[in-house]
Amino acid sequence: MKIELTVNGEQREADVWEGESLLFALREKLGLPGSKNACEQGECGSCSVLLDGTLVCACLVLAAQADGHDVVTVEGLGATGEPHPVQEAFVEAGAVQCGFCTPGLVVATVDLLAHSPQPSEDEIREALSGNLCRCTGYAKIFDAVRLAAQ
Amino acid sequence: MGALGNGTRGLAGGTDLVPLLRDGLVAADRLVDLRRVIPSGIDGTAIGAGTTLAELEADPQIPDALREACRLAASPQLRNMGTIGGNLLQATRCWYWRLNYPCRLHGGDVCHAREGQHREHAIFANDYCASAHPSDVAAALLALDATVETTRAAGPLAGLYRLPDDHDRNLVDLGADELITRIHYERPEQSVYLKAMDRKRWAFALVGVAAARYDDGVRLGLAGVAPIPWRLASLDDLEQATPLPGTAYKLELARALGRRAIAAVGG
Amino acid sequence: MSTTLPLGRVGERVKRVDGIPKTNGEFAYSSDLFAAGMLWGHTLRSPHSHARIVEIDLADALTSPGVHAVLTHEDVPGQKRYGLEFPDQPVLALDRVRYFGEPVALIAAEHPEQARRAAERIRVAYEPLEPLVDPERALEQEPLHDERWTHGHGYRDDPRPNVVRHLVIRHGDPDAEGAVSVSGVYELGIQDQAFLGPESGLAVPDGEGGVDIYVATQWLHVDRDQVAPCLGLPPERVRIHLAGVGGAFGGREDLSMQIHSALLALHTERPVKMVYNREESFVGHVHRHPARIWAEHRADADGRLVSVRMRILLDGGAYASSSTAVTSNAASFACGPYAVANALIESTCVYSNNPPCGAMRGFGAVQTCFASEAQMDKLADALGLDPVELRLRNALAPGDVLPTGQRIDGSLPVAEVIRRAAALPVPELEPLPREAIRLPGGAGNTTRGEGVRRGVGFAVGFKNIAYSEGFDDYCAARVRLREDGSAEVHCAAAEVGQGVTNVILQVARTELATDDVVLAPHTTASVDSSGSASASRMTWMAAGAVQLACRAALEERERTGGEVDVERIYRHVRTSPLDPETGQTTGERSHVAFACAAMRVVAEVDVELGLTRVVWIGTAQDVGAAVNPQAVEGQIEGGTAQGLGLALMEEIQTQGGLITNASFTDYLIPTALDMPPVESVLIEDPEPSAPYGVKGVGEPPTVVSTAAVVAALRDATGRELTRVPVRPDDIVGL
């Protein structure tokens, strides 16, 4: 079936199989592999995207459900050629090792800071509790969020 | 909604259904998006079944037990998608069921958990099936004296659930084309939800206890202790538990959490 | 790799060169690859942990929509088996399956869902066999393998069935008596590496019978050397290219889909992409060996160790992988970083029908550190000695002799890491009331202080850097200096997240005194092997190789004046095997070098619910020299998280050899809320034999953190806690 949706500000369309997830459609049909497939069960947050401005796991959204809606992925965050301040903060703080969790965390952080520009420690932990990281132990990820909030 | 049934299923947030479809535990030829069909939003003490957990958690009018249950139910991403109606209907985490063992819930004649690994399983009503119901939200709503309205009927929340038996293995008493529309609760003086998990965040309840204080006393609702969300009239009811060797520790947890929950609501 | 980002030399805090692409989705991981006309591959796996294959019927699968190929072992043109050390593992099951999830058949189709549905239509007739799941029974059971794979390789040729390796270290007089003796039996469950990037890659046939494989791996050349014989091809016709790696931690040392995707690609003459989902990933790679350890420690009245006796049983699962080395490592480091004159260490790894085990960060030393540190605390208790003081009294130092007879002639500042870790100020008890997440039970709001007890634990651990026992690994690097002064470096050292790419560039910039350096894509086609990104060796070996190659390139340019292209091989000092009967080194050394770490953990436990909050971790680690201090801290923090996971929540659950919790719902890894702040002190005591004095840093924090966390729990609860992961059920107990 054909779906039409806005992705990162652009009108896009894709031919999807009915049971396909939005994540698969983004990665394999729309040329946007930035959102990651670490678990595809909603457990790790690596597929986090903004669906109509709301933070969701793209792996649990059926591509068909996104028809007619607005999606922002990690690829859509910075301006062309210019990294988003959150992206810069992650690199500056040393919060990126293998980086597989990073896109999901960047999207979750952008969402957090949009709602709460000066989050407390506890707010940061809460907001990022849906994103798993296996490499960093999270310490420098928190540093990155604090840095980005400045 | 005559369209449901016969291979057609309703899809709301998808956070429980989509993985079940992928794992082959639920079959569907067609999915109908329910979000435009069922009510959502909060109106006094009435909650539309399509209201997301995130909306409930954010609303200061919602009693603490329910807000906390929503917050603890899932990650921020999943709370933005998952609906309260869907949360009530979520399937058990029992790995025998999820791995498609021919257990009683799958129509077989044995409960593999009873003889096998069952540290996450039930301490009540576990003779026929020892699975545990994971819904934090249901535990909170039981304590909040909730009633459920469907497209067919209305009644206490407890009536939504049933224990499986040889005639009917369903844990939910809902027709194939029947949808939950609204949930109503009674506003308490004070309420709380306490959840013991294997890690500090975002795991299913080992034991979850909701307590709500009303004029005539404290009501308790539990998650993770029975195949269906479990109501306790008082902590004395814990003595009726029938723990399995590997779930005996849950009784300790339920006692301690129960005491603390009652103390927390000034009961 | 770009040269336009902020740069740096050795010793500076440098931004990751791959950082920005990883934050904006541009960095290409192995599952992000795409090729025109590609098909999707899928693996049919055994639902049994032990069974005979009677018949495989492919008919319905072959006619399934979108299917281009369905392959079994009959379609493997070359060697039918492969393996890191012994070729005991079938590419596709032959007549028997030996573990849950063992690959049986392959499908290539236009869409992954079509491949999955076709797999369901393959009819395999199995005759289930009784699975061997109790490692203590393995030596009495029928052999799971027809061949004695590990015989004739210089190990003890153990005649008993199902022995992968049995090693005995006999040192001094193990019967020597002391003033006190403490014993215990310790157990560790199966831990999973749980790297986030799933097994995945793309195989592209070159149209001339060869194939290019783009894959996330830890060692390109050893992959090639296993893939080529199975495809019946000479090594040059199989080119392995490193695709972006989403973490490894040992789980990518063995092959996953490399041969499978190549078989499908060559058969269909189309590119083939394979991506495992999380459930498949859990069965698709080796895990950390579960262990049972019996230990007895004797000491004199002053707390000096007199003798250590330990028996270690490792369950290696169905295939050998790198188990022989894990067995030896567990034994080599069993006594901990302490001088002891007498020891008897028996380390046995057995085959079983449980999930196959192999390399995971810490590699055998994690298991024995958990046991030996618990024993040290028992000794301290029996003697009325402070646990830190006891460890200081026994601390190993350069010049000491290990139980394997090797004299420590490099750096090993055990006493200093102990002192520096112990000197870190411990946070004060936080007053009540507190936010829920600052209490045990965390977000679950389970206590307002009731039942909460505080505990402090301390542990020390060490292990080897680089491979051991005569393996003699090396690393190659190639440097091209262009006319315009720019440089191109080739090194196959796998970037798995640890930051070796930055190390290579930092070293090259330092040696060449220029910032105009580019790192070429990693491929077997352009440079010799760098060895594995394992054993905390890659920084050392890559730094050594790049340094060598840079210096050679500069010399060559001096001589010739034009473009230069040189490749050099860097080797560490030679090592020798351990004697099969005595476990003593047969040369001067069996290990190249060592690194140690000490850690203090503050934890709070709600003893009525058995819920834990780790409050703070302070550690001092022996790092030799920090090439990039920010990256070193990141390794310490991440390695500590994995050890904390093993201590509190991580275990692969099995039933009859079947994995029952193959998902992140049921296999829990620490979240942002589970990790405390980690304060780390880097002890830079240069390793004399290493470039810039570096040591590997990835493993020591994982070796020591499980032991340290559980020590804190014991202090808080008064419970013995001899098994990890520790669960609420173990603390609440009845």
Side-chain angles (χ1 to χ4, degrees), chain C residues 640-659:
Chain C
T640 300
Q642 290 183 8
L644 184 152
L646 174 60
L648 297 177
M649 63 186 76
E650 292 187 40
E651 183 171 5
I652 295 279
Q653 314 269 9
T654 62
Q655 168 120 359
L658 274 55
I659 297 180

PDB file of all heavy atoms in Angstrom, chain C residues 640-659:
ATOM      1  N   THR C 640      32.043  -0.370  33.921  1.00  0.00           N
ATOM      2  CA  THR C 640      31.451  -0.494  35.252  1.00  0.00           C
ATOM      3  C   THR C 640      29.960  -0.798  35.146  1.00  0.00           C
ATOM      4  O   THR C 640      29.428  -1.615  35.901  1.00  0.00           O
ATOM      5  CB  THR C 640      31.681   0.804  36.043  1.00  0.00           C
ATOM      6  OG1 THR C 640      33.083   1.036  36.152  1.00  0.00           O
ATOM      7  CG2 THR C 640      31.075   0.708  37.427  1.00  0.00           C
ATOM      8  N   ALA C 641      29.300  -0.160  34.192  1.00  0.00           N
ATOM      9  CA  ALA C 641      27.866  -0.414  34.007  1.00  0.00           C
ATOM     10  C   ALA C 641      27.608  -1.881  33.682  1.00  0.00           C
ATOM     11  O   ALA C 641      26.641  -2.478  34.162  1.00  0.00           O
ATOM     12  CB  ALA C 641      27.306   0.483  32.902  1.00  0.00           C
ATOM     13  N   GLN C 642      28.464  -2.482  32.871  1.00  0.00           N
ATOM     14  CA  GLN C 642      28.243  -3.882  32.508  1.00  0.00           C
ATOM     15  C   GLN C 642      28.450  -4.801  33.701  1.00  0.00           C
ATOM     16  O   GLN C 642      27.751  -5.796  33.878  1.00  0.00           O
ATOM     17  CB  GLN C 642      29.161  -4.269  31.338  1.00  0.00           C
ATOM     18  CG  GLN C 642      28.719  -3.573  30.056  1.00  0.00           C
ATOM     19  CD  GLN C 642      29.517  -3.948  28.836  1.00  0.00           C
ATOM     20  OE1 GLN C 642      30.347  -4.847  28.867  1.00  0.00           O
ATOM     21  NE2 GLN C 642      29.267  -3.240  27.747  1.00  0.00           N
ATOM     22  N   GLY C 643      29.428  -4.458  34.550  1.00  0.00           N
ATOM     23  CA  GLY C 643      29.633  -5.258  35.759  1.00  0.00           C
ATOM     24  C   GLY C 643      28.494  -5.080  36.745  1.00  0.00           C
ATOM     25  O   GLY C 643      28.080  -6.027  37.417  1.00  0.00           O
ATOM     26  N   LEU C 644      27.971  -3.866  36.821  1.00  0.00           N
ATOM     27  CA  LEU C 644      26.818  -3.614  37.689  1.00  0.00           C
ATOM     28  C   LEU C 644      25.616  -4.405  37.188  1.00  0.00           C
ATOM     29  O   LEU C 644      24.849  -4.975  37.974  1.00  0.00           O
ATOM     30  CB  LEU C 644      26.521  -2.112  37.715  1.00  0.00           C
ATOM     31  CG  LEU C 644      25.406  -1.588  38.630  1.00  0.00           C
ATOM     32  CD1 LEU C 644      25.683  -0.156  39.058  1.00  0.00           C
ATOM     33  CD2 LEU C 644      24.062  -1.648  37.956  1.00  0.00           C
ATOM     34  N   GLY C 645      25.478  -4.480  35.881  1.00  0.00           N
ATOM     35  CA  GLY C 645      24.386  -5.261  35.301  1.00  0.00           C
ATOM     36  C   GLY C 645      24.468  -6.729  35.697  1.00  0.00           C
ATOM     37  O   GLY C 645      23.465  -7.335  36.070  1.00  0.00           O
ATOM     38  N   LEU C 646      25.670  -7.285  35.618  1.00  0.00           N
ATOM     39  CA  LEU C 646      25.837  -8.691  36.008  1.00  0.00           C
ATOM     40  C   LEU C 646      25.536  -8.864  37.490  1.00  0.00           C
ATOM     41  O   LEU C 646      24.962  -9.855  37.917  1.00  0.00           O
ATOM     42  CB  LEU C 646      27.266  -9.165  35.701  1.00  0.00           C
ATOM     43  CG  LEU C 646      27.633 -10.571  36.172  1.00  0.00           C
ATOM     44  CD1 LEU C 646      26.727 -11.636  35.549  1.00  0.00           C
ATOM     45  CD2 LEU C 646      29.093 -10.892  35.824  1.00  0.00           C
ATOM     46  N   ALA C 647      25.899  -7.878  38.288  1.00  0.00           N
ATOM     47  CA  ALA C 647      25.680  -7.979  39.733  1.00  0.00           C
ATOM     48  C   ALA C 647      24.203  -7.961  40.082  1.00  0.00           C
ATOM     49  O   ALA C 647      23.766  -8.661  40.992  1.00  0.00           O
ATOM     50  CB  ALA C 647      26.388  -6.845  40.453  1.00  0.00           C
ATOM     51  N   LEU C 648      23.427  -7.160  39.373  1.00  0.00           N
ATOM     52  CA  LEU C 648      22.069  -6.881  39.842  1.00  0.00           C
ATOM     53  C   LEU C 648      20.926  -7.373  38.976  1.00  0.00           C
ATOM     54  O   LEU C 648      19.797  -7.468  39.434  1.00  0.00           O
ATOM     55  CB  LEU C 648      21.898  -5.373  40.026  1.00  0.00           C
ATOM     56  CG  LEU C 648      22.789  -4.733  41.083  1.00  0.00           C
ATOM     57  CD1 LEU C 648      22.568  -3.223  41.111  1.00  0.00           C
ATOM     58  CD2 LEU C 648      22.482  -5.328  42.459  1.00  0.00           C
ATOM     59  N   MET C 649      21.167  -7.606  37.698  1.00  0.00           N
ATOM     60  CA  MET C 649      19.955  -7.855  36.899  1.00  0.00           C
ATOM     61  C   MET C 649      20.131  -8.692  35.645  1.00  0.00           C
ATOM     62  O   MET C 649      19.134  -9.128  35.072  1.00  0.00           O
ATOM     63  CB  MET C 649      19.333  -6.516  36.503  1.00  0.00           C
ATOM     64  CG  MET C 649      20.225  -5.656  35.605  1.00  0.00           C
ATOM     65  SD  MET C 649      19.541  -4.008  35.290  1.00  0.00           S
ATOM     66  CE  MET C 649      19.868  -3.158  36.803  1.00  0.00           C
ATOM     67  N   GLU C 650      21.359  -8.908  35.188  1.00  0.00           N
ATOM     68  CA  GLU C 650      21.506  -9.547  33.884  1.00  0.00           C
ATOM     69  C   GLU C 650      21.714 -11.047  33.996  1.00  0.00           C
ATOM     70  O   GLU C 650      22.659 -11.504  34.622  1.00  0.00           O
ATOM     71  CB  GLU C 650      22.709  -8.943  33.144  1.00  0.00           C
ATOM     72  CG  GLU C 650      22.525  -7.508  32.738  1.00  0.00           C
ATOM     73  CD  GLU C 650      23.685  -7.025  31.873  1.00  0.00           C
ATOM     74  OE1 GLU C 650      24.157  -7.801  31.012  1.00  0.00           O
ATOM     75  OE2 GLU C 650      24.127  -5.884  32.065  1.00  0.00           O
ATOM     76  N   GLU C 651      20.855 -11.806  33.352  1.00  0.00           N
ATOM     77  CA  GLU C 651      21.089 -13.246  33.243  1.00  0.00           C
ATOM     78  C   GLU C 651      20.283 -13.819  32.094  1.00  0.00           C
ATOM     79  O   GLU C 651      19.078 -13.596  32.014  1.00  0.00           O
ATOM     80  CB  GLU C 651      20.710 -13.983  34.533  1.00  0.00           C
ATOM     81  CG  GLU C 651      21.028 -15.475  34.449  1.00  0.00           C
ATOM     82  CD  GLU C 651      20.879 -16.212  35.766  1.00  0.00           C
ATOM     83  OE1 GLU C 651      20.436 -15.600  36.747  1.00  0.00           O
ATOM     84  OE2 GLU C 651      21.221 -17.417  35.790  1.00  0.00           O
ATOM     85  N   ILE C 652      20.926 -14.558  31.238  1.00  0.00           N
ATOM     86  CA  ILE C 652      20.218 -15.334  30.209  1.00  0.00           C
ATOM     87  C   ILE C 652      19.590 -16.528  30.927  1.00  0.00           C
ATOM     88  O   ILE C 652      20.293 -17.325  31.547  1.00  0.00           O
ATOM     89  CB  ILE C 652      21.182 -15.859  29.125  1.00  0.00           C
ATOM     90  CG1 ILE C 652      21.801 -14.711  28.344  1.00  0.00           C
ATOM     91  CG2 ILE C 652      20.467 -16.820  28.191  1.00  0.00           C
ATOM     92  CD1 ILE C 652      20.933 -14.142  27.248  1.00  0.00           C
ATOM     93  N   GLN C 653      18.273 -16.616  30.873  1.00  0.00           N
ATOM     94  CA  GLN C 653      17.582 -17.722  31.539  1.00  0.00           C
ATOM     95  C   GLN C 653      17.409 -18.857  30.553  1.00  0.00           C
ATOM     96  O   GLN C 653      17.053 -18.629  29.411  1.00  0.00           O
ATOM     97  CB  GLN C 653      16.190 -17.273  31.987  1.00  0.00           C
ATOM     98  CG  GLN C 653      16.139 -15.934  32.678  1.00  0.00           C
ATOM     99  CD  GLN C 653      16.287 -16.066  34.159  1.00  0.00           C
ATOM    100  OE1 GLN C 653      16.591 -17.149  34.654  1.00  0.00           O
ATOM    101  NE2 GLN C 653      16.074 -14.983  34.875  1.00  0.00           N
ATOM    102  N   THR C 654      17.669 -20.054  31.016  1.00  0.00           N
ATOM    103  CA  THR C 654      17.486 -21.188  30.110  1.00  0.00           C
ATOM    104  C   THR C 654      16.632 -22.250  30.777  1.00  0.00           C
ATOM    105  O   THR C 654      16.582 -22.355  32.002  1.00  0.00           O
ATOM    106  CB  THR C 654      18.830 -21.828  29.717  1.00  0.00           C
ATOM    107  OG1 THR C 654      19.467 -22.324  30.909  1.00  0.00           O
ATOM    108  CG2 THR C 654      19.744 -20.841  29.038  1.00  0.00           C
ATOM    109  N   GLN C 655      15.977 -23.016  29.943  1.00  0.00           N
ATOM    110  CA  GLN C 655      15.197 -24.164  30.418  1.00  0.00           C
ATOM    111  C   GLN C 655      15.469 -25.280  29.428  1.00  0.00           C
ATOM    112  O   GLN C 655      15.107 -25.164  28.263  1.00  0.00           O
ATOM    113  CB  GLN C 655      13.715 -23.791  30.443  1.00  0.00           C
ATOM    114  CG  GLN C 655      12.816 -24.961  30.637  1.00  0.00           C
ATOM    115  CD  GLN C 655      11.980 -24.813  31.878  1.00  0.00           C
ATOM    116  OE1 GLN C 655      12.081 -23.851  32.619  1.00  0.00           O
ATOM    117  NE2 GLN C 655      11.121 -25.791  32.102  1.00  0.00           N
ATOM    118  N   GLY C 656      16.132 -26.314  29.889  1.00  0.00           N
ATOM    119  CA  GLY C 656      16.464 -27.404  28.980  1.00  0.00           C
ATOM    120  C   GLY C 656      17.321 -26.930  27.815  1.00  0.00           C
ATOM    121  O   GLY C 656      17.258 -27.469  26.722  1.00  0.00           O
ATOM    122  N   GLY C 657      18.112 -25.867  28.030  1.00  0.00           N
ATOM    123  CA  GLY C 657      18.953 -25.339  26.958  1.00  0.00           C
ATOM    124  C   GLY C 657      18.283 -24.289  26.107  1.00  0.00           C
ATOM    125  O   GLY C 657      18.930 -23.638  25.286  1.00  0.00           O
ATOM    126  N   LEU C 658      16.969 -24.111  26.266  1.00  0.00           N
ATOM    127  CA  LEU C 658      16.255 -23.087  25.499  1.00  0.00           C
ATOM    128  C   LEU C 658      16.370 -21.757  26.227  1.00  0.00           C
ATOM    129  O   LEU C 658      16.239 -21.692  27.435  1.00  0.00           O
ATOM    130  CB  LEU C 658      14.775 -23.452  25.380  1.00  0.00           C
ATOM    131  CG  LEU C 658      14.349 -24.364  24.247  1.00  0.00           C
ATOM    132  CD1 LEU C 658      15.112 -25.662  24.218  1.00  0.00           C
ATOM    133  CD2 LEU C 658      12.851 -24.662  24.354  1.00  0.00           C
ATOM    134  N   ILE C 659      16.604 -20.691  25.498  1.00  0.00           N
ATOM    135  CA  ILE C 659      16.668 -19.370  26.106  1.00  0.00           C
ATOM    136  C   ILE C 659      15.242 -18.852  26.252  1.00  0.00           C
ATOM    137  O   ILE C 659      14.491 -18.787  25.270  1.00  0.00           O
ATOM    138  CB  ILE C 659      17.514 -18.398  25.256  1.00  0.00           C
ATOM    139  CG1 ILE C 659      18.954 -18.904  25.176  1.00  0.00           C
ATOM    140  CG2 ILE C 659      17.464 -16.995  25.841  1.00  0.00           C
ATOM    141  CD1 ILE C 659      19.882 -18.015  24.361  1.00  0.00           C
TER     142      ILE C 659
END
